Amino acid sequence: MDVFDALFTRRSIRKFTAEPVSDADLQLVLKAAMCAPSAHNKQPWHFVVVRDAALLAGIAERHPYAKMAAEASVVIVVCANPEESKSPGYWQQDCTAALENMLIAARGLNLGTVWCGMYPFEDRVEPIRELLKVPAHINMLGLVVMGHPAQPFSEADRFNESKIHYNCW
């Protein structure tokens, strides 16, 4: 799929088929994540890949906006080790770039995704941390819930010329 088609038709998909995401597709999505830019190329990201049905159900129970995780093929938790980051505050930017790459790569593979935010809400972070045994020193940005879509992709034109300012505000 053309990169612009992937960008312009990417949508949050919350309904998935029972077909599993292949290991090859999962590896491509993770490889795309790790191609993201990061401050001083520190790459502080870490990814917890969840395929176990009981853990997927646990995520759905614990995160108020990730109910669809119980029906998904995989959830990827995007994390960062702050000790591997350039300095405080950069891990969020680094991990967000990696997460966005995952969303676009998944769309290019005709997989559906939805980004469920966690950071900075401790009531979302801590239950998932406990469930997945993520160490306390690791920061958790968000979830990528992924699977084969059971709803259509569609293009929406979100371009808004009034949001662009040239040279000055």
Side-chain angles (χ1 to χ4, degrees):
M1 172 180 296
D2 174 82
V3 69
F4 288 104
D5 287 338
L7 282 165
F8 296 151
T9 61
R10 191 220 55 81
R11 293 287 166 272
S12 293
I13 300 294
R14 293 177 175 85
K15 294 181 189 212
F16 303 99
T17 70
E19 182 182 355
V21 171
S22 73
D23 289 341
D25 284 351
L26 178 59
Q27 286 302 111
L28 277 173
V29 168
L30 291 165
K31 185 175 182 178
M34 293 183 201
C35 285
S38 65
H40 290 254
N41 199 30
K42 293 291 187 180
Q43 304 171 23
W45 45 63
H46 290 261
F47 306 96
V48 180
V49 177
V50 181
R51 286 187 177 269
D52 178 80
L55 291 174
L56 292 170
I59 290 169
E61 291 170 7
R62 287 165 175 80
H63 191 294
Y65 302 105
K67 302 303 180 210
M68 76 295 293
E71 305 302 321
S73 178
V74 63
V75 169
I76 302 170
V77 186
V78 180
C79 304
N81 183 341
E83 295 170 9
E84 297 173 8
S85 190
K86 161 74 172 127
S87 61
Y90 281 100
W91 74 268
Q92 297 98 323
Q93 296 172 56
D94 298 342
C95 286
T96 299
L99 195 150
E100 177 68 9
N101 274 15
M102 283 194 279
L103 300 178
I104 301 304
R107 177 63 189 110
L109 295 168
N110 206 33
L111 296 170
T113 57
V114 60
W115 175 354
C116 298
M118 292 170 57
Y119 177 83
F121 304 104
E122 289 301 312
D123 62 325
R124 296 182 199 170
V125 170
E126 288 310 315
I128 305 301
R129 179 187 306 285
E130 180 182 305
L131 177 69
L132 302 179
K133 300 175 177 38
V134 176
H137 73 282
I138 298 297
N139 296 330
M140 302 169 68
L141 180 75
L143 310 171
V144 175
V145 181
M146 182 173 18
H148 289 274
Q151 65 185 93
F153 292 102
S154 61
E155 184 170 347
D157 186 357
R158 296 179 181 174
F159 183 77
N160 182 346
E161 186 77 32
S162 70
K163 303 273 183 173
I164 302 170
H165 311 276
Y166 295 96
N167 299 319
C168 306
W169 189 270

